[in-house]
Amino acid sequence: MKKVNFILIFIFFVFLSACTTKKQKTKDSDASITEETYLGQKPPGLIPEIFAPGIISINGRYEHGISFSPNLNEVYYSANKKGEDPSIYFSKFENKKWTTPKKANFTKGKKVGEMHPFVSLYDEKIYFVAHDAFTLPQHKESTKIWYVNRLEDSWSSAKQLDSPVNDGFGFYPNQAKNGDLFYSNISKWKMYYAVHKNGKFPQVQEVGIEFGIHGFISPSQDYLVVNSRNRENAERKSDIYVYFKEKNGTWSKAINLGNTVNSNFPETCPSITPDGKYLFFGRYNEEGGLSNFYWASTEIIHKLKTAYFKKES
């Protein structure tokens, strides 16, 4: 009898040990996934948190416009110190660690300023904005959307996008999963989009929203985030808003993301990660009016969407 009890106790502890090991492996696996994406940062909840402080978000400069590759193992973003032209920086997850961010220099000096990178969800391109020096009179006219093709360990020579997209002051390009390109035309202070056709963008159309620039389309095109001056509070120079796609293809009214995201500091350049899980934006809360990247769960947007369509039904 004692022998039987001993065997039962032994089996129980073996089973318990196996469960513990399994849980530990699951935990380690989750940690590994987190480490390989978003520079190993702890994912935020509904309250925005500064992203990768001291690595990506560095005090003493402006940071604006950030984009991740579809598999989330590359990040590209633009930054510059006060009075300097912007540059695009990048970091990749290689050999089980993230590389130190360095300048991309896509145009190899053809253009002084490079900013607002977007890694395509449709093909192997990286779109970005390039321009001549801020001090030159043709600075605004020179601001156009460019692209490079992503290669295995580098990228191709940069080319200016041959499209009516560049007929004006093109700004902040980004794409939906189907390849349609969205951007802001600062010359007209409006948002436009161009349907993707056989690798080209032959026609542009107004997005058709009330207001807002630096618009970013969600991967599935069901919502659009923008920044704009708060129409109800003059002290709020730039808040983030969302538009939802209606069943008839039009856009809803602009909905402020609320005080959880927006603050008494300007929030600009919103973007959505390729997996649709996180909202990124720049918050100008650093001394001297400089900005850092912040991120939050897109659950904020999903809750607003549910409330909006419930109210409309």
Side-chain angles (χ1 to χ4, degrees), residues 223-240:
Y223 65 86
L224 177 77
V225 284
V226 303
N227 64 254
S228 177
R229 177 178 58 82
N230 189 308
R231 304 301 173 97
E232 298 174 358
N233 185 345
E235 294 183 3
R236 302 278 279 267
K237 295 181 180 179
S238 184
D239 279 359
I240 297 174

Side-chain angles (χ1 to χ4, degrees), residues 44-205:
L46 299 179
I47 299 174
E49 297 180 16
I50 192 168
F51 179 70
I55 304 171
I56 303 294
S57 295
I58 298 175
N59 289 340
R61 67 181 187 181
Y62 296 104
E63 287 140 2
H64 45 97
I66 186 169
S67 177
F68 292 85
S69 61
N71 56 8
L72 304 176
N73 62 5
E74 297 176 33
V75 61
Y76 296 80
Y77 61 96
S78 47
N80 60 283
K81 291 184 178 180
K82 210 164 190 174
E84 294 182 353
D85 290 286
S87 297
I88 292 173
Y89 294 80
F90 74 97
S91 175
K92 298 183 178 184
F93 189 78
E94 294 179 342
N95 300 319
K96 298 184 179 181
K97 65 179 182 179
W98 285 89
T99 60
T100 301
K102 59 182 179 181
K103 288 185 181 181
N105 192 19
F106 288 137
T107 63
K108 307 285 187 203
K110 291 180 183 178
K111 296 292 177 180
V112 173
E114 298 179 5
M115 60 182 173
H116 300 165
F118 178 78
V119 186
S120 176
L121 306 180
Y122 180 82
D123 53 27
E124 294 300 314
K125 289 182 172 60
I126 300 176
Y127 295 94
F128 63 99
V129 170
H131 57 80
D132 294 331
F134 283 148
T135 54
L136 297 178
Q138 76 272 21
H139 156 249
K140 286 187 177 181
E141 291 75 14
S142 74
T143 304
K144 304 294 180 184
I145 295 172
W146 289 58
Y147 71 91
V148 292
N149 289 304
R150 296 171 70 208
L151 306 176
E152 188 174 347
D153 295 315
S154 60
W155 40 78
S156 67
S157 298
K159 294 182 180 180
Q160 184 175 304
L161 186 63
D162 183 14
S163 165
V165 164
N166 276 324
D167 286 349
F169 187 166
F171 222 56
Y172 209 60
N174 53 91
Q175 271 183 310
K177 280 185 177 178
N178 70 350
D180 291 351
L181 186 73
F182 286 71
Y183 67 100
S184 296
N185 185 323
I186 305 301
S187 308
K188 298 180 179 179
W189 213 249
K190 290 183 179 180
M191 271 207 67
Y192 289 79
Y193 75 100
V195 174
H196 182 268
K197 291 184 179 180
N198 301 318
K200 297 183 180 298
F201 304 99
Q203 293 181 319
V204 300
Q205 302 175 60

